[in-house]
């Protein structure tokens, strides 16, 4: 991670670390809203009889939430990866001998809006959903692991039988559940990222699908390649879900919406 940080800042500057942040800012909010709201909906639906949810039903609710979330997640991930790859490829071109010798200036990296237009023009809506299968394989198991784990950890810190857990318990439960689920599905995240990458250097592999990607990674890089980025994902996902769960449980969204006309 430290090597990646140093090389990225050296080749792309500090703000190279923020490529794709606009896409994240625009789409990560509805993604989390869909995930959390869908999980609550399915949990309530599966507990209509008033009985406590079994682990299987908790997992089914998480499965439904993960499936609904993919509608937003796949285009977001696709655009984010393209923006990050464009910056990486541009930085590599700047260091190529022919570029240095001629003083040629590589083309500027495209914006999220330009990438969206190009994908829609060339491949239609399907272009934004490239890697849908791999995204489902990542996000559905993630939610199946995350939501039951969070619910049970959060219940351990409740004040009494009916009382809510303190905010710090929800935060820590979200962090622990999020990092656990992130590491568990990291191999699928590696596959998804490889499939969705379109801007490749000359020596990089191309993949026709999930099975082709798995076989080429195993052949060329070995099994440990599927754990690449697991530590970074855990560092990102832990606070992300910890904060999201606290905001959700405190009812911040409902409080803000109460100021809108008609509420």
């Amino acid at each position: 991670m430290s090597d990646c940080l140093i090389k990225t800042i050296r080749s792309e500057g500090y703000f190279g670390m923020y490529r794709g942040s606009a896409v994240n800012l625009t789409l990560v909010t509805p993604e989390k809203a869909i995930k959390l709201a869908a999980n609550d909906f399915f949990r309530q639906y599966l507990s209509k009889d008033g009985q406590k949810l079994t682990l299987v039903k908790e997992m089914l609710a998480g499965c439904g939430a993960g499936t609904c979330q993919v509608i937003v997640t796949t285009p977001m991930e696709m655009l984010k990866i393209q923006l990050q790859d464009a910056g990486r490829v541009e930085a590599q071109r700047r260091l190529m001998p022919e570029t240095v010798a001629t003083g040629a200036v590589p083309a500027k990296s495209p914006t999220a809006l330009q990438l969206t237009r190009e994908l829609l023009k060339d491949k239609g809506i399907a272009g934004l959903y490239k890697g849908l299968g791999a995204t489902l394989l990542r996000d559905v198991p993630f939610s199946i692991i995350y939501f039951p784990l969070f619910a049970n950890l959060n219940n351990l810190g409740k004040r009494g039988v009916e009382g809510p857990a303190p905010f710090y318990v929800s935060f820590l439960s979200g962090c622990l559940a999020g990092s656990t689920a992130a590491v568990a599905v990291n191999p699928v995240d590696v596959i998804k990222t490889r499939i969705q990458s379109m801007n490749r250097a000359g020596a990089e592999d191309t993949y026709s699908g999930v099975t082709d990607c798995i076989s080429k990674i195993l052949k060329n890089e070995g099994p440990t390649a599927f754990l690449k980025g697991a530590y970074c994902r855990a560092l990102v996902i832990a606070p992300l879900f910890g904060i999201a769960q606290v905001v959700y449980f405190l009812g911040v969204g409902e409080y803000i919406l109460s100021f809108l006309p008609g509420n």
Side-chain angles (χ1 to χ4, degrees):
M1 184 175 68
S2 58
D3 181 53
C4 179
L5 173 67
I6 292 167
K7 287 179 178 176
T8 301
I9 293 176
R10 185 184 298 160
S11 61
E12 302 178 51
Y14 176 76
F15 289 103
M17 305 293 296
Y18 285 87
R19 289 188 185 275
S21 59
V23 177
N24 262 338
L25 184 63
T26 304
L27 292 174
V28 79
T29 304
E31 177 215 333
K32 291 294 173 287
I34 291 170
K35 185 194 285 281
L36 294 170
N39 181 67
D40 268 7
F41 170 80
F42 287 117
R43 287 178 71 91
Q44 289 175 16
Y45 179 80
L46 292 169
S47 61
K48 280 183 177 179
D49 55 3
Q51 299 293 320
K52 182 181 178 182
L53 284 177
T54 63
L55 179 60
V56 172
K57 287 186 176 181
E58 287 184 330
M59 293 171 71
L60 282 173
C63 178
T67 304
C68 293
Q69 170 220 333
V70 165
I71 298 168
V72 173
T73 303
T74 305
M76 178 195 76
E77 294 278 357
M78 183 69 180
L79 291 172
K80 182 183 72 174
I81 290 168
Q82 302 322 307
L83 287 168
Q84 291 172 342
D85 275 357
R88 176 178 58 84
V89 172
E90 177 191 335
Q92 288 176 351
R93 285 175 183 162
R94 289 181 186 277
L95 299 175
M96 291 174 66
E98 55 268 29
T99 303
V100 175
T102 60
V105 180
K108 290 184 68 176
S109 298
T111 64
L113 187 58
Q114 288 172 332
L115 278 171
T116 304
R117 285 173 177 168
E118 288 175 12
L119 283 168
L120 288 173
K121 181 181 177 181
D122 296 341
K123 301 183 179 180
I125 293 293
L128 293 174
Y129 281 87
K130 182 181 180 183
L132 175 63
T135 307
L136 278 168
L137 286 174
R138 182 195 67 175
D139 288 344
V140 172
F142 179 95
S143 295
I144 289 173
I145 296 168
Y146 172 77
F147 283 110
L149 183 56
F150 168 79
N152 286 281
L153 289 172
N154 196 55
N155 285 338
L156 293 175
K158 278 189 173 181
R159 294 169 177 157
V161 179
E162 299 296 331
F167 78 93
Y168 60 85
V169 172
S170 295
F171 175 75
L172 291 174
S173 299
C175 288
L176 183 56
S179 58
T180 301
V183 173
V185 302
N186 194 76
V188 187
D189 186 62
V190 170
I191 295 166
K192 181 199 69 66
T193 303
R194 299 288 183 94
I195 290 173
Q196 289 182 322
S197 295
M198 297 174 69
N199 299 304
R200 304 178 189 277
E204 293 180 325
D205 286 323
T206 57
Y207 310 102
S208 61
V210 173
T211 53
D212 180 55
C213 183
I214 293 172
S215 62
K216 285 182 177 176
I217 290 174
L218 284 172
K219 179 181 177 181
N220 299 328
E221 303 174 57
T224 56
F226 291 107
L227 295 177
K228 285 183 178 179
Y231 179 59
C232 293
R233 262 184 68 76
L235 287 178
V236 171
I237 295 295
L240 174 63
F241 275 89
I243 294 168
Q245 289 288 180
V246 169
V247 171
Y248 189 70
F249 269 74
L250 291 178
V252 174
E254 289 89 339
Y255 177 75
I256 294 172
L257 289 173
S258 69
F259 290 99
L260 295 176
N263 291 302

